[in-house]
Amino acid sequence: MEIKVLHQIMDWNEDVSEEVKEELKKHHICMINVMGSPGAGKTSLIISLIEKLKSRFRIGVIEGDIAGQVDAEKIASLQIPAVQLNTDGACHIEAMSIQNILPSLSLDELDLIFVENIGNLVCPAEFRIGESMRITLLSIPEGDDKVEKYPLMFTDTDCLVLNKYDMLPYFDFDETRVRSNFNAVNPGAPLFCISSRDGEGVEELADLIAEKMEEK
Amino acid sequence: MEIKVLHQIMDWNEDVSEEVKEELKKHHICMINVMGSPGAGKTSLIISLIEKLKSRFRIGVIEGDIAGQVDAEKIASLQIPAVQLNTDGACHIEAMSIQNILPSLSLDELDLIFVENIGNLVCPAEFRIGESMRITLLSIPEGDDKVEKYPLMFTDTDCLVLNKYDMLPYFDFDETRVRSNFNAVNPGAPLFCISSRDGEGVEELADLIAEKMEEK
C-alpha cells in the first residue's frame, strides 16, 4: 500500500515541477538544483560561482535546510537575494516548496537562481523541482565508491563536481574509479575537478552555466 | 493526506522494531545502528571496532546500501559474518528489512551485530530498527555546522563520533561549536574523537560498547 502512495506523491511532484518550469520560463530565469551530501561544499561552490557570474547575470539563491539559516546568511552577506527554505525534518526539497517560495523573490529582477538542496546523496535526486540544470557534488573526503552506492544521484544529473579537489593528496581516493563509474551511468556528462577554497576549476563550470543561460 | 500515511508507516515501523528487539533479546544479542553521511567513515569505524572487540564477543554485520556490496565484501574478508542489505533506492533501513534479514545470520552464534545504515544524515534517524544502541558519525571534512542543520540525527543517538579526527589540521572545523551544539540537543551523551586510520580514540568507544554488552 505504501508504495502506491509514494507513487502518487511523486506524480504530483512532477506536475508541480512542470508548473514551476513554466513560471521560470516566463521570467527567462534559469534555475540550477545543487545536490550532494552534507558537507560536500554546496554553499561554498555556489558562492564561488556567484563570484564568477555576478557581473553577467542577476542571481538569487534558495537555501534549503532542515533547520536553521546559516547558509542563507552567508549568501545574503554578499548582497545576493537569498531565501531560506526550512523543510522542518524533510530530507529533500519538493517542487511545491519552490512554487510557494518563488513569490518571495523578485523574479523580474533575476536571470539565474541557485537552489541548494538538503545535504543528502539519496532523496533529492528523486524529486524534480522545476530546475533547468542539476549539479551533483561529490567531495574527495567522501570516498571513491559513491557512484556505485548511490547511483541515482549520478545518473540523473547534468554534471558532476569532484569538490575539495585540493584535498586529493590527503585521502585515498581513486579518481579513475569515479570517472569510469560516472561515465558508465551517465555517458557524456561533464565532470569538473573543483576546489572552492583556491578557485581551481570554478571557471570551467561557470562557463557551462553561461552557455546554458544563452540557450534559454 | 500524505502526512497521515507517513504516520501510519512509522507507527508500523515502531511495532516491528519492538519485535526485532525482543527477538535479539532472546538470543542475548546487542545490535548497534551506525549512522552518518555518505563517506563519514562508517565501514572503517566498524572494522576498527571489530578489531578491538572480536576477542571478547562474536560479531556479525548487516551492511545497508542502496546498491552494491562493496562494504559487505570488506567485512567478510575479515572472516566476520556479513549480510548485505540492498534497499534498491530507499534512503534508510526500516525495521521490517532487519526482521527479514535476521534469519540469514546464525543468531545463536552471535553476541553483537553492527548495522551500517544508508549514508544519510537525515532519514535513518527517523526509523528505529530494533537496535539497543545508536552511534552517529560526523567526519571533520563535513564541517562544524551539521548539528544545527540536521538536528534529529544528533538528538536521537547514544553517542557522537567525530570521525577522521586526524584531518582536523586541514579543515576549518570548530570543535567547540560542535561540542556545544551537541551538548545542547543531547545533554550528557558522550562524544568520541576518532581516527580509524591511526586508531586514535577507538578504544574508548569499544569500552562503551563492552559496558553496554554487560548490561544486557
Side-chain angles (χ1 to χ4, degrees):
Chain A
M1 186 193 163
E2 65 276 17
I3 291 170
K4 195 175 163 200
V5 174
L6 182 67
H7 197 67
Q8 285 175 0
I9 295 174
M10 292 187 61
D11 279 355
W12 171 77
N13 185 75
E14 287 299 307
D15 294 344
V16 179
S17 173
E18 287 305 313
E19 289 169 26
V20 170
K21 217 172 202 167
E22 275 306 305
E23 176 72 9
L24 293 172
K25 208 172 165 184
K26 259 194 270 173
H27 292 87
H28 310 286
I29 291 174
C30 174
M31 188 166 84
I32 301 181
N33 185 358
V34 182
M35 302 183 291
S37 296
K42 295 180 288 303
T43 316
S44 305
L45 179 69
I46 290 171
I47 290 174
S48 306
L49 288 170
I50 287 172
E51 291 303 328
K52 294 280 180 202
L53 293 166
K54 69 181 178 187
S55 60
R56 287 190 277 175
F57 307 108
R58 299 165 303 168
I59 306 174
V61 176
I62 297 173
E63 274 297 335
D65 277 300
I66 290 175
Q69 51 181 45
V70 180
D71 294 338
E73 284 166 7
K74 275 189 216 162
I75 303 288
S77 75
L78 308 170
Q79 315 304 321
I80 295 290
V83 184
Q84 179 73 48
L85 167 60
N86 279 340
T87 63
D88 299 331
C91 53
H92 60 274
I93 297 178
E94 292 184 21
M96 183 54 102
S97 300
I98 299 294
Q99 193 169 49
N100 284 339
I101 216 168
L102 280 187
S104 38
L105 285 162
S106 306
L107 297 186
D108 288 328
E109 293 162 23
L110 292 177
D111 306 306
L112 175 59
I113 298 176
F114 289 105
V115 178
E116 180 175 343
N117 218 311
I118 306 301
N120 185 328
L121 208 54
V122 190
C123 317
E126 294 178 39
F127 293 84
R128 293 259 148 208
I129 56 171
E131 69 271 49
S132 30
M133 181 181 175
R134 287 179 157 199
I135 299 177
T136 291
L137 275 82
L138 172 65
S139 64
I140 298 299
E142 290 173 70
D144 53 23
D145 56 357
K146 296 299 169 286
V147 183
E148 287 143 86
K149 285 173 155 183
Y150 304 87
L152 189 63
M153 186 57 84
F154 297 90
T155 313
D156 206 354
T157 189
D158 297 292
C159 65
L160 174 60
V161 170
L162 282 190
N163 205 30
K164 307 191 189 180
Y165 196 71
D166 54 317
M167 285 294 142
L168 198 59
Y170 305 106
F171 290 88
D172 183 21
F173 187 98
D174 180 355
E175 187 181 328
T176 314
R177 178 181 182 184
V178 172
R179 283 187 180 273
S180 124
N181 286 337
F182 182 57
N183 238 311
V185 298
N186 200 339
L191 185 154
F192 300 92
C193 298
I194 288 184
S195 161
S196 303
R197 193 187 274 182
D198 60 25
E200 183 188 350
V202 179
E203 189 82 46
E204 288 85 344
L205 178 56
D207 287 346
L208 179 74
I209 294 170
E211 271 173 41
K212 197 96 191 166
M213 298 292 292
E214 277 155 31
E215 278 172 26
K216 37 151 222 168
Chain B
M1 186 194 164
E2 66 274 18
I3 290 170
K4 195 174 162 200
V5 174
L6 182 66
H7 197 67
Q8 285 176 358
I9 295 174
M10 292 186 62
D11 280 355
W12 172 77
N13 185 75
E14 288 298 308
D15 293 344
V16 179
S17 172
E18 286 305 313
E19 289 169 26
V20 170
K21 216 172 201 166
E22 275 307 304
E23 176 72 9
L24 293 172
K25 208 172 164 182
K26 261 193 270 171
H27 292 87
H28 311 287
I29 292 174
C30 174
M31 188 167 82
I32 301 182
N33 185 358
V34 182
M35 302 182 290
S37 296
K42 294 180 289 300
T43 316
S44 305
L45 178 69
I46 289 171
I47 290 174
S48 306
L49 288 170
I50 288 172
E51 291 302 327
K52 294 280 181 203
L53 293 165
K54 68 180 179 188
S55 61
R56 287 189 279 173
F57 308 108
R58 299 166 301 168
I59 306 175
V61 176
I62 297 173
E63 274 297 335
D65 277 300
I66 289 176
Q69 51 181 48
V70 181
D71 293 339
E73 284 165 7
K74 274 189 217 164
I75 303 289
S77 74
L78 307 171
Q79 315 305 321
I80 295 290
V83 184
Q84 179 73 49
L85 167 59
N86 278 340
T87 63
D88 299 330
C91 54
H92 60 274
I93 296 177
E94 292 183 20
M96 182 54 102
S97 299
I98 300 294
Q99 195 170 47
N100 285 340
I101 216 168
L102 280 187
S104 37
L105 285 162
S106 306
L107 297 186
D108 286 328
E109 294 161 22
L110 292 176
D111 306 306
L112 175 59
I113 297 176
F114 287 106
V115 179
E116 179 175 344
N117 219 309
I118 307 299
N120 185 330
L121 209 54
V122 188
C123 316
E126 295 178 39
F127 293 83
R128 292 260 149 208
I129 55 171
E131 69 272 49
S132 31
M133 181 182 176
R134 287 180 158 198
I135 300 177
T136 291
L137 275 82
L138 171 66
S139 64
I140 298 299
E142 290 174 70
D144 53 23
D145 56 357
K146 296 300 169 286
V147 184
E148 289 144 85
K149 285 174 156 182
Y150 304 87
L152 188 64
M153 185 58 83
F154 298 90
T155 312
D156 205 355
T157 189
D158 297 293
C159 65
L160 175 59
V161 169
L162 282 190
N163 206 29
K164 307 191 188 179
Y165 196 70
D166 55 316
M167 286 292 142
L168 199 58
Y170 305 106
F171 290 88
D172 182 21
F173 186 98
D174 180 355
E175 187 180 328
T176 314
R177 178 180 182 184
V178 172
R179 283 187 180 273
S180 125
N181 286 338
F182 182 59
N183 238 311
V185 298
N186 200 340
L191 184 154
F192 300 91
C193 299
I194 288 184
S195 161
S196 303
R197 193 187 277 183
D198 61 24
E200 182 188 350
V202 178
E203 189 83 44
E204 289 85 342
L205 178 55
D207 287 347
L208 180 74
I209 293 170
E211 272 174 41
K212 197 95 191 168
M213 298 290 293
E214 278 155 29
E215 279 172 25
K216 51 155 208 164

